[in-house]
mmCIF file of all heavy atoms in Angstrom:
data_model
loop_
_atom_site.group_PDB
_atom_site.id
_atom_site.type_symbol
_atom_site.label_atom_id
_atom_site.label_comp_id
_atom_site.label_asym_id
_atom_site.label_seq_id
_atom_site.Cartn_x
_atom_site.Cartn_y
_atom_site.Cartn_z
ATOM 1 N N VAL V 136 3.173 13.911 7.207
ATOM 2 C CA VAL V 136 3.120 15.361 7.012
ATOM 3 C C VAL V 136 4.561 15.937 7.048
ATOM 4 O O VAL V 136 5.250 15.604 8.043
ATOM 5 C CB VAL V 136 2.269 16.042 8.087
ATOM 6 C CG1 VAL V 136 2.258 17.565 7.920
ATOM 7 C CG2 VAL V 136 0.848 15.454 8.024
ATOM 8 N N HIS V 137 4.996 16.530 5.984
ATOM 9 C CA HIS V 137 6.320 17.135 5.945
ATOM 10 C C HIS V 137 6.136 18.644 5.862
ATOM 11 O O HIS V 137 5.590 19.215 4.960
ATOM 12 C CB HIS V 137 7.043 16.741 4.727
ATOM 13 C CG HIS V 137 7.518 15.312 4.764
ATOM 14 N ND1 HIS V 137 8.833 14.959 5.118
ATOM 15 C CD2 HIS V 137 6.844 14.121 4.421
ATOM 16 C CE1 HIS V 137 8.928 13.616 5.052
ATOM 17 N NE2 HIS V 137 7.783 13.124 4.653
ATOM 18 N N CYS V 138 6.563 19.382 6.921
ATOM 19 C CA CYS V 138 6.500 20.792 6.953
ATOM 20 C C CYS V 138 7.922 21.436 6.867
ATOM 21 O O CYS V 138 8.803 20.984 7.656
ATOM 22 C CB CYS V 138 5.910 21.295 8.383
ATOM 23 S SG CYS V 138 4.205 20.856 8.651
ATOM 24 N N PHE V 139 8.024 22.236 5.881
ATOM 25 C CA PHE V 139 9.198 23.111 5.813
ATOM 26 C C PHE V 139 8.881 24.394 6.354
ATOM 27 O O PHE V 139 8.048 25.195 5.839
ATOM 28 C CB PHE V 139 9.631 23.251 4.347
ATOM 29 C CG PHE V 139 10.251 21.916 3.820
ATOM 30 C CD1 PHE V 139 9.406 20.935 3.304
ATOM 31 C CD2 PHE V 139 11.608 21.636 3.813
ATOM 32 C CE1 PHE V 139 9.981 19.723 2.846
ATOM 33 C CE2 PHE V 139 12.166 20.460 3.413
ATOM 34 C CZ PHE V 139 11.329 19.550 2.828
ATOM 35 N N ILE V 140 9.387 24.652 7.556
ATOM 36 C CA ILE V 140 8.988 25.890 8.365
ATOM 37 C C ILE V 140 10.001 26.946 8.169
ATOM 38 O O ILE V 140 11.201 26.725 8.336
ATOM 39 C CB ILE V 140 8.867 25.521 9.816
ATOM 40 C CG1 ILE V 140 7.876 24.415 10.046
ATOM 41 C CG2 ILE V 140 8.445 26.790 10.598
ATOM 42 C CD1 ILE V 140 7.916 23.793 11.372
ATOM 43 N N TRP V 141 9.545 28.029 7.571
ATOM 44 C CA TRP V 141 10.430 29.173 7.166
ATOM 45 C C TRP V 141 10.553 30.168 8.283
ATOM 46 O O TRP V 141 9.647 30.461 8.979
ATOM 47 C CB TRP V 141 9.854 29.892 5.884
ATOM 48 C CG TRP V 141 10.023 28.912 4.698
ATOM 49 C CD1 TRP V 141 9.147 27.842 4.486
ATOM 50 C CD2 TRP V 141 11.002 28.822 3.741
ATOM 51 N NE1 TRP V 141 9.600 27.172 3.386
ATOM 52 C CE2 TRP V 141 10.744 27.780 2.871
ATOM 53 C CE3 TRP V 141 12.101 29.612 3.547
ATOM 54 C CZ2 TRP V 141 11.521 27.388 1.895
ATOM 55 C CZ3 TRP V 141 12.907 29.257 2.444
ATOM 56 C CH2 TRP V 141 12.634 28.188 1.632
ATOM 57 N N PRO V 142 11.750 30.750 8.472
ATOM 58 C CA PRO V 142 11.956 31.675 9.597
ATOM 59 C C PRO V 142 11.349 33.082 9.331
ATOM 60 O O PRO V 142 12.183 34.058 9.129
ATOM 61 C CB PRO V 142 13.487 31.709 9.680
ATOM 62 C CG PRO V 142 13.933 31.475 8.289
ATOM 63 C CD PRO V 142 12.942 30.563 7.707
ATOM 64 N N VAL V 143 10.061 33.114 9.175
ATOM 65 C CA VAL V 143 9.393 34.327 8.900
ATOM 66 C C VAL V 143 7.967 34.248 9.522
ATOM 67 O O VAL V 143 7.350 33.150 9.529
ATOM 68 C CB VAL V 143 9.299 34.687 7.411
ATOM 69 C CG1 VAL V 143 8.517 33.616 6.700
ATOM 70 C CG2 VAL V 143 8.696 36.037 7.182
ATOM 71 N N MET V 144 7.450 35.372 10.040
ATOM 72 C CA MET V 144 6.050 35.389 10.542
ATOM 73 C C MET V 144 5.343 36.429 9.574
ATOM 74 O O MET V 144 5.837 37.565 9.502
ATOM 75 C CB MET V 144 5.958 35.742 11.947
ATOM 76 C CG MET V 144 6.470 34.684 12.839
ATOM 77 S SD MET V 144 6.213 34.840 14.542
ATOM 78 C CE MET V 144 7.353 36.088 15.023
ATOM 79 N N VAL V 145 4.300 36.003 8.928
ATOM 80 C CA VAL V 145 3.646 36.893 7.933
ATOM 81 C C VAL V 145 2.433 37.570 8.507
ATOM 82 O O VAL V 145 1.897 38.411 7.866
ATOM 83 C CB VAL V 145 3.382 36.154 6.570
ATOM 84 C CG1 VAL V 145 4.579 35.709 5.959
ATOM 85 C CG2 VAL V 145 2.447 34.982 6.753
ATOM 86 N N GLY V 146 1.944 37.160 9.647
ATOM 87 C CA GLY V 146 0.827 37.824 10.366
ATOM 88 C C GLY V 146 -0.560 37.559 9.882
ATOM 89 O O GLY V 146 -1.525 38.034 10.442
#
Side-chain angles (χ1 to χ4, degrees):
V136 177
H137 288 263
C138 291
F139 289 84
I140 304 166
W141 294 78
V143 62
M144 292 189 286
V145 299

